[in-house]
Amino acid sequence: MKSKRRLGICLAVGILVLAVSAAAAFGSVNGYARYKQAVKDLLLREDNFTVQAQTHLSVDGERLLSVQMDYAKAGLNSAYHSREDHGGESHQEYRTVLDGVRTRFAGDSSFYSCESIERGEAFSNLLGYDVDNEMERRLVDFAETAVDLVLGELKNNVVQLGTEGDETIYQVRVARSQIPTLLNAGLSLFVYDNVGVPVSRFLTYEDEIGLLFQRYEAVTGETLPEEFRAKYASGDYDDAWYQANRRLIERLDTFSTDWNAPYWTLFEKKDQGVLYVKADGSVQDYDTVQAFLTDHPEQKYHYLEYYMGGSAALCDVVCTFRVNGAGKLTANQIQANLKTTDSAGGSHAMQMVLDLTITDYGTTTVAPLDVGDRVMRS
């Protein structure tokens, strides 16, 4: 599960970063210069602001992943909250850095953790850029020049939509034929780095933990306490609980390896498709991943690597942004449409959307994180 969540977040962030890089180089001389400088300032220089962000990913018109994020920064202090929704599941994370101490917890956890921040772990800007480091300055200059060089002929695509108060609103539309080859090559590299070699076969369980408990009790005659079941399944326990239950955990882990062996033996005989283990232990064999996803659409999020296992390329990008009278970025909406090829050669339409609002420049404060009735993890 953690690897699937990581892939989803990487897709939502990484692909859109490429889209931002493209959009940042488009526009009239004025719009281009204002946008590029505002983005650079936000990433490298601003140290007091609040960001609200929403991102979602859709495949073939169906939304598979939504992420909401709030981030506040005040010098070396910061507060972060995110909510990720996919496949009927929801995950939340809270993290605050205040006065050299990082406090964090997951929304569904009974525990929280506190740790001192080592010197150099807390940064005054988003990217951890050190203005006094000559190498980092040169890297920033190189990246900026490279973007200008690759996308330089596309600076006239900007449209000034109007003004609201002291904000100027711009929009950029980039068609497929205008997207530089190098940008799609970078996207292909990113996808391969996060997906790896295309996979066309999978072993999937309807309820692996529930089936494990059921089989363990049937074979051993030992009834697992409900509290143990809940903590083992969620992983939401501290070291004290682990030590108190270590022997039972080790027995269950060993049993898990043994009872899974027959399923893995069947799986190793498959060249492609999905071996689906149902909650009662019976097996359904699907010849293709697509056939499995047709029967189990709720599983699509967990197969993002399948949808991008062949290739991915940007088709078009729409970027709308606002810059205020002080030259600060106040809003940025980006929609990127991609064409992907799955591991079996099928074609899919993928859409990434990012909506950013940046407020409270210079007035943001960070409060202590409210941990509720959670207990500090030992």
Side-chain angles (χ1 to χ4, degrees):
M1 175 63 72
K2 289 183 178 179
S3 62
K4 305 300 181 185
R5 293 180 61 197
R6 176 180 178 273
L7 176 60
I9 294 172
C10 283
L11 288 172
V13 175
I15 293 176
L16 286 171
V17 164
L18 291 174
V20 171
S21 299
F26 302 149
S28 65
V29 173
N30 183 53
Y32 164 59
R34 295 192 72 192
Y35 184 72
K36 185 172 72 169
Q37 190 60 53
V39 171
K40 285 177 59 179
D41 287 345
L42 180 63
L43 294 177
L44 304 177
R45 297 182 178 87
E46 299 289 353
D47 67 354
N48 189 286
F49 55 87
T50 299
V51 177
Q52 294 177 321
Q54 296 184 7
T55 302
H56 70 252
L57 179 152
S58 299
V59 176
D60 298 331
E62 180 181 355
R63 184 173 297 189
L64 301 188
L65 170 70
S66 296
V67 179
Q68 294 181 320
M69 185 270 286
D70 299 297
Y71 178 77
K73 185 165 184 60
L76 298 180
N77 297 329
S78 62
Y80 169 86
H81 167 243
S82 68
R83 172 172 175 157
E84 179 183 339
D85 295 287
H86 58 79
E89 301 178 12
S90 180
H91 303 275
Q92 295 193 67
E93 181 182 351
Y94 297 81
R95 181 174 67 248
T96 293
V97 174
L98 186 62
D99 299 330
V101 177
R102 180 191 291 122
T103 306
R104 55 186 170 184
F105 59 82
D108 58 355
S109 176
S110 304
F111 302 93
Y112 73 93
S113 65
C114 281
E115 56 188 341
S116 296
I117 301 296
E118 297 293 333
R119 184 178 179 84
E121 285 191 63
F123 302 105
S124 61
N125 55 66
L126 277 178
L127 293 188
Y129 171 67
D130 184 356
V131 296
D132 296 322
N133 186 296
E134 181 64 24
M135 177 60 77
E136 293 190 16
R137 287 204 303 270
R138 294 190 182 201
L139 283 173
V140 170
D141 291 341
F142 173 79
E144 182 178 353
T145 302
V147 170
D148 288 346
L149 179 64
V150 172
L151 307 168
E153 295 301 319
L154 299 173
K155 294 179 181 178
N156 296 320
N157 290 45
V158 73
V159 176
Q160 183 174 321
L161 300 182
T163 60
E164 290 185 3
D166 74 335
E167 296 182 344
T168 304
I169 309 168
Y170 299 93
Q171 187 175 82
V172 177
R173 291 180 176 271
V174 185
R176 182 173 185 174
S177 60
Q178 297 172 302
I179 295 173
T181 302
L182 185 59
L183 188 62
N184 272 328
L187 176 59
S188 178
L189 177 63
F190 168 83
V191 170
Y192 185 83
D193 181 53
N194 284 275
V195 175
V197 178
V199 178
S200 59
R201 61 173 188 159
F202 298 88
L203 174 63
T204 300
Y205 295 81
E206 181 178 4
D207 182 10
E208 183 176 4
I209 294 296
L211 182 56
L212 169 62
F213 292 158
Q214 173 191 326
R215 288 293 175 82
Y216 179 85
E217 291 183 340
V219 172
T220 66
E222 178 182 357
T223 300
L224 298 171
E226 287 301 319
E227 181 192 15
F228 177 88
R229 284 170 166 258
K231 288 186 177 293
Y232 183 92
S234 67
D236 186 30
Y237 51 80
D238 59 9
D239 187 63
W241 186 87
Y242 173 82
Q243 292 300 330
N245 294 272
R246 182 172 58 84
R247 291 184 178 179
L248 178 55
I249 293 172
E250 291 175 349
R251 290 201 304 272
L252 195 58
D253 288 345
T254 300
F255 182 85
S256 176
T257 300
D258 293 339
W259 78 264
N260 263 305
Y263 297 127
W264 280 100
T265 299
L266 290 174
F267 175 67
E268 291 298 330
K269 296 178 181 179
K270 288 180 63 63
D271 293 326
Q272 64 176 10
V274 177
L275 192 70
Y276 182 56
V277 181
K278 299 181 181 180
D280 62 2
S282 62
V283 174
Q284 186 166 358
D285 194 346
Y286 290 89
D287 291 334
T288 66
V289 176
Q290 190 56 54
F292 169 73
L293 294 178
T294 298
D295 281 358
H296 301 277
E298 74 284 353
Q299 293 282 343
K300 287 184 177 180
Y301 169 76
H302 301 293
Y303 287 80
L304 287 179
E305 69 265 59
Y306 167 77
Y307 285 109
M308 304 188 73
S311 65
L314 279 168
C315 295
D316 58 76
V317 179
V318 179
C319 174
T320 306
F321 59 92
R322 293 173 176 244
V323 179
N324 66 16
K328 299 181 186 296
L329 188 69
T330 59
N332 204 172
Q333 296 82 38
I334 301 171
Q335 177 178 303
N337 292 305
L338 303 93
K339 179 181 179 180
T340 71
T341 303
D342 63 36
S343 298
S347 180
H348 301 277
M350 183 174 289
Q351 183 180 81
M352 310 286 297
V353 176
L354 173 67
D355 192 341
L356 290 175
T357 302
I358 306 99
T359 60
D360 298 330
Y361 282 102
T363 61
T364 295
T365 59
V366 174
L369 182 60
D370 182 3
V371 300
D373 58 358
R374 293 174 176 82
V375 178
M376 183 182 293
R377 189 180 295 275
S378 61

